[in-house]
Amino acid sequence: MPAHRTAIRSASLLLVTAIASVSLVTGTAHADSVQSGWQQVTSTGTLGKGAAPGGPVTRQQAVDRAHDWAVNKVPYSRNGLNSPYSWYSDSATGGRYRQDCSGLISMAWQLPESRNTWSLRDISTVISRSELKPGDALNNTDTHVILFAGWKDQSAGTFYFYSESGRSVPTQRYVGNFNDRQLSGHPTNGYKAYRYNKIVDGSVTPGTGGNQPSSTPAVASVTGPAGSAIVTGEIALTASVAETVGTPTGAEFFIDGESVGAVDSAATGYSVPVDTTQLSDGPHTITVQAKNGAGQAGPVSAARGFYVANKAVPATTTGDFNADGKDDIAVLYNNGQNAAGKNITALWTFTSTGNGFNAPVKAWHNDDASTGSWNADRSKLTVGDFNGDGRTDVGVLYNNGENTAGKNITALWTFTSTGSGFNAPVKVWHNDDATTGSWNWERSKPVAGDFNGDGKADIGVLYNNGQNASDKNITALWTFTSTGSGFSAPVKVWHNDDATTGSWNWERSKPVAGDFNGDGKADVGVLYNEGQDAELMNHTAFHLFYAFDGGIHGPKRAWDNNDTTTGSWSWERSKPVAGDFNGDGKTDLGVFYDEGQDAGGMNHSAFHIGYGRADGIAAPKRAWDNNDTTTGSWNADRSKLVAGDFNGDGKDDLGVFYNNGEDETGKNNASLFTFKGRNDGANGIYGPVKAWDNSASGSWNWYRSDLG
């Protein structure tokens, strides 16, 4: 081994970041620019940063000073291995700069405490262009050094420097004469190259060790949820984060440009939870931005789209708004904000004709100067004949947010039917007083039914009390009893905060209401997610809270799929609805089920009915699916359910409000389908018939529509 190689071999590295583009003319070098991280900085030829020898020096200061040495002070020689490789000291930075013995210029910043030297000669030429990225270094060492280097193309007489933007190498400003395995102009072979991830960034204290990040900020991309996913409830936002050198230190997530959470280290897997009930139904975008150890923020990632459809999860029965013996459908529609920032909401009704529906009519809106703001995203809709006059009314549980003391404020409003429309909403209850206590709208799932059998619909709310000190999930059922002119204050009729009931997870509960045993009083049913067993089989159960004269009994398990015949049943793919589909006087459980896509990309859905009986429900029976040659694809995620006797024949029908998406002009399209109930020996329901669509009218956004 040549003596000069032995002398400088103790440690070596190559950092290809912050690079100069240099031309060599008759042994004199001049500079065009310096590229550091993501910014290209024009060199001034001087340090100009006031750094003292041995003191903290930033990477950019070293770049600027090394560039100045390369341009003005280090001589160039064409003598190859015989060229001098003396070190030149720089008192301004405490660094030393040298010409490599290969005839290539090396610019190294070496802290006074370090006793190592570096040379390009000690780095293997067996390295491909794709293996190098800005900020990479070669050779494994803990010394605090930044080295800047370039390659000399002897034949062309031009000095090229490695530069890269993202993942693609520009056609100009790249490492000179890269071929498959060698860097041309480099005289040595046979030395192994190691990727080095301890790079100085920001201020440096001489003598300190550890994992030093790159000056190139980390780059992040969104990994979840899947692009164009339809999500409900709480979800996880996930990202991948990469840094060419060093370890990223965090990532911040944004929905529609607003921060929704940050993660400080990779230990959490770059994931943050988000409660989508706080977002409006409809399309949203996720972006992510990473940070490195120097606190530098990387570029904002490309946006990933997803859709929130929380209003598609709670399903409800509807009612007869005009008392003609046929049930109608109401839609609370979110019109967003007007130019003054006021939230605009409208109540529309689809009146049944017996064999279809009339075009929707706007029965109420707050787009006037007197009504005030009404935010549909803060509204949970339920319907029932609250005053017992034979006409169905609309109730809205409304989120008033927190007061100045941090107390959650919720109100109950009713739109009373007039037969030809609705009166303006009236606030019939709220907890904004000194006695009631906090009531969190986000933890409330409302249903409506006549729980005491007095001919007036009441409202039940399944409420999430979170976890107790033992991490047991606590849930309660409250009822608001109708007085005819309003509602009594809510009463807690059941909870599982005792020593016998066990945990009950509100987030795994989808409530419905109806008279399942036919005794004249409405009951509350809950479709419950029991998770997966060891064989990854999905388990779901249906529990009934039976009403009685004095209140509501605790839950009874009426059905589950924990048997040898039913097979797996995914709660997450299930949308429950309650209705008397066979007209026997007892409410049945209907479940619209997402069966996914086949190999050809066709969406499959099915509707199952568990018929009500005196002691519970029968096991669900497949009443319809689109596995035929006529229906075509049917996407359960694009379906919002409602049940009612739309044709007045004594049997409830299934209504599905379907999202047809946008057309080529950007117009939102929706359709209303009805599935007629039947009791002709076959039971079940008939296939879908389109009762309405907005093809002949303006845009209709399915995501902004809350059915009742």
Side-chain angles (χ1 to χ4, degrees):
M1 178 180 296
H4 68 273
R5 179 178 303 178
T6 304
I8 61 175
R9 185 169 178 236
S10 57
S12 62
L13 67 87
L14 166 63
L15 174 63
V16 279
T17 185
I19 310 126
S21 177
V22 181
S23 297
L24 299 180
V25 181
T26 63
T28 302
H30 67 273
D32 296 328
S33 60
V34 172
Q35 182 165 320
S36 176
W38 297 105
Q39 296 180 340
Q40 185 166 305
V41 183
T42 301
S43 173
T44 61
T46 60
L47 182 63
K49 306 291 184 180
V57 180
T58 67
R59 178 178 224 157
Q60 186 58 54
Q61 288 170 342
V63 171
D64 292 340
R65 193 60 170 171
H67 182 266
D68 181 44
W69 274 84
V71 173
N72 299 315
K73 298 181 180 178
V74 179
Y76 174 74
S77 170
R78 294 183 179 273
N79 294 330
L81 294 178
N82 297 320
S83 51
Y85 50 93
S86 300
W87 284 96
Y88 297 85
S89 297
D90 178 25
S91 60
T93 63
R96 298 197 298 161
Y97 307 93
R98 60 166 292 162
Q99 176 189 11
D100 194 297
C101 60
S102 66
L104 310 178
I105 296 178
S106 306
M107 295 154 281
W109 169 41
Q110 182 182 25
L111 296 179
E113 284 75 7
S114 174
R115 295 294 179 265
N116 293 325
T117 58
W118 300 267
S119 170
L120 286 175
R121 298 186 58 264
D122 294 324
I123 297 173
S124 170
T125 58
V126 183
I127 183 168
S128 67
R129 175 167 51 190
S130 62
E131 292 178 295
L132 288 175
K133 298 177 178 64
D136 279 0
L138 303 176
N139 240 0
N140 198 7
T141 177
D142 289 329
T143 55
H144 299 285
V145 174
I146 295 180
L147 182 69
F148 306 92
W151 291 265
K152 173 68 173 63
D153 177 355
Q154 298 288 343
S155 61
T158 305
F159 219 11
Y160 292 88
F161 285 78
Y162 182 72
S163 173
E164 187 175 14
S165 175
R167 294 291 182 184
S168 61
V169 178
T171 56
Q172 300 179 18
R173 300 186 57 78
Y174 66 99
V175 173
N177 286 2
F178 251 126
N179 58 31
D180 289 340
R181 300 187 64 79
Q182 293 197 15
L183 311 179
S184 66
H186 200 291
T188 52
N189 288 301
Y191 288 89
K192 185 172 177 57
Y194 299 93
R195 192 171 297 280
Y196 171 69
N197 63 357
K198 297 178 176 65
I199 303 300
V200 175
D201 189 34
S203 296
V204 178
T205 301
T208 60
N211 187 14
Q212 302 292 343
S214 167
S215 65
T216 301
V219 178
S221 60
V222 178
T223 58
S228 300
I230 297 176
V231 299
T232 62
E234 186 168 292
I235 64 171
L237 305 184
T238 60
S240 64
V241 179
E243 189 168 6
T244 53
V245 178
T247 302
T249 58
E252 186 170 10
F253 290 85
F254 302 84
I255 293 181
D256 302 331
E258 297 291 329
S259 177
V260 293
V263 81
D264 292 332
S265 71
T268 60
Y270 298 113
S271 176
V272 298
V274 168
D275 183 3
T276 65
T277 62
Q278 300 182 32
L279 301 172
S280 62
D281 272 25
H284 297 273
T285 58
I286 310 168
T287 53
V288 65
Q289 188 175 33
K291 293 183 179 180
N292 66 6
Q296 295 171 309
V300 176
S301 72
R304 171 170 290 191
F306 72 107
Y307 295 85
V308 172
N310 285 304
K311 298 297 176 71
V313 176
T316 181
T317 53
T318 188
D320 183 3
F321 300 129
N322 57 7
D324 68 351
K326 300 180 290 292
D327 284 340
D328 313 301
I329 293 176
V331 173
L332 196 70
Y333 193 87
N334 179 8
N335 284 309
Q337 292 184 333
N338 64 13
K342 175 182 173 179
N343 294 295
I344 307 298
T345 297
L347 179 64
W348 296 76
T349 54
F350 293 77
T351 305
S352 174
T353 64
N355 58 2
F357 289 89
N358 292 312
V361 174
K362 187 185 294 184
W364 170 86
H365 65 82
N366 69 317
D367 195 6
D368 53 48
S370 58
T371 307
S373 184
W374 188 288
N375 191 336
D377 287 331
R378 290 177 171 245
S379 307
K380 293 180 180 178
L381 185 69
T382 187
V383 297
D385 182 6
F386 300 127
N387 58 6
D389 66 355
R391 296 186 296 266
T392 301
D393 312 303
V394 173
V396 173
L397 198 68
Y398 193 87
N399 177 17
N400 284 314
E402 292 184 348
N403 65 12
T404 55
K407 175 181 173 180
N408 294 295
I409 307 298
T410 298
L412 178 62
W413 297 75
T414 55
F415 297 74
T416 303
S417 172
T418 64
S420 58
F422 290 89
N423 291 319
V426 174
K427 186 188 294 184
V428 294
W429 171 85
H430 64 81
N431 69 315
D432 194 5
D433 53 48
T435 59
T436 306
S438 185
W439 189 288
N440 192 331
W441 176 89
E442 293 174 355
R443 292 176 172 238
S444 306
K445 294 178 181 178
V447 292
D450 182 7
F451 301 125
N452 58 7
D454 67 353
K456 300 182 291 291
D458 313 303
I459 291 177
V461 175
L462 197 68
Y463 192 87
N464 177 17
N465 283 314
Q467 292 184 327
N468 63 14
S470 303
D471 295 330
K472 175 181 174 180
N473 295 297
I474 307 298
T475 298
L477 179 63
W478 296 75
T479 55
F480 296 74
T481 301
S482 172
T483 64
S485 59
F487 289 87
S488 300
V491 175
K492 187 188 293 185
V493 295
W494 169 84
H495 63 81
N496 69 315
D497 194 6
D498 53 46
T500 59
T501 307
S503 185
W504 189 289
N505 192 331
W506 178 89
E507 293 178 348
R508 292 178 170 230
S509 305
K510 295 176 182 177
V512 294
D515 183 7
F516 290 97
N517 58 3
D519 66 353
K521 294 182 284 291
D523 316 302
V524 174
V526 175
L527 194 69
Y528 193 84
N529 176 17
E530 301 197 330
Q532 292 183 329
D533 59 24
E535 284 74 38
L536 302 182
M537 178 175 170
N538 296 296
H539 288 273
T540 299
F542 185 62
H543 299 260
L544 277 168
F545 297 74
Y546 286 111
F548 65 99
D549 288 339
I552 294 181
H553 292 290
K556 172 187 175 181
R557 183 182 291 250
W559 168 82
D560 62 49
N561 67 314
N562 194 17
D563 54 45
T564 58
T565 59
T566 306
S568 184
W569 190 291
S570 173
W571 177 90
E572 293 176 346
R573 290 174 172 249
S574 304
K575 294 181 179 180
V577 65
D580 182 9
F581 298 108
N582 60 1
D584 66 354
K586 295 184 285 293
T587 298
D588 313 310
L589 170 67
V591 178
F592 208 74
Y593 195 87
D594 176 12
E595 299 195 331
Q597 290 184 334
D598 59 24
M602 178 176 170
N603 296 294
H604 288 272
S605 299
F607 187 62
H608 301 258
I609 299 177
Y611 289 102
R613 58 191 190 190
D615 59 348
I617 63 167
K621 171 185 176 182
R622 182 180 292 246
W624 169 85
D625 62 45
N626 66 319
N627 290 327
D628 54 45
T629 58
T630 58
T631 306
S633 183
W634 193 289
N635 191 335
D637 282 333
R638 290 176 173 251
S639 305
K640 293 184 180 181
L641 312 183
V642 66
D645 183 7
F646 302 127
N647 58 4
D649 67 354
K651 298 182 291 291
D652 279 342
D653 313 304
L654 173 67
V656 175
F657 202 59
Y658 195 84
N659 177 18
N660 291 314
E662 291 185 352
D663 60 22
E664 63 277 2
T665 66
K667 175 184 174 182
N668 294 294
N669 292 293
S671 299
L672 177 60
F673 292 86
T674 56
F675 299 69
K676 287 176 55 179
R678 60 192 293 181
N679 188 7
D680 54 5
N683 288 335
I685 57 172
Y686 291 98
V689 174
K690 185 185 291 186
W692 171 86
D693 65 41
N694 66 314
S695 58
S697 56
S699 182
W700 192 289
N701 193 325
W702 180 89
Y703 291 103
R704 292 175 175 254
S705 306
D706 193 4
L707 256 63

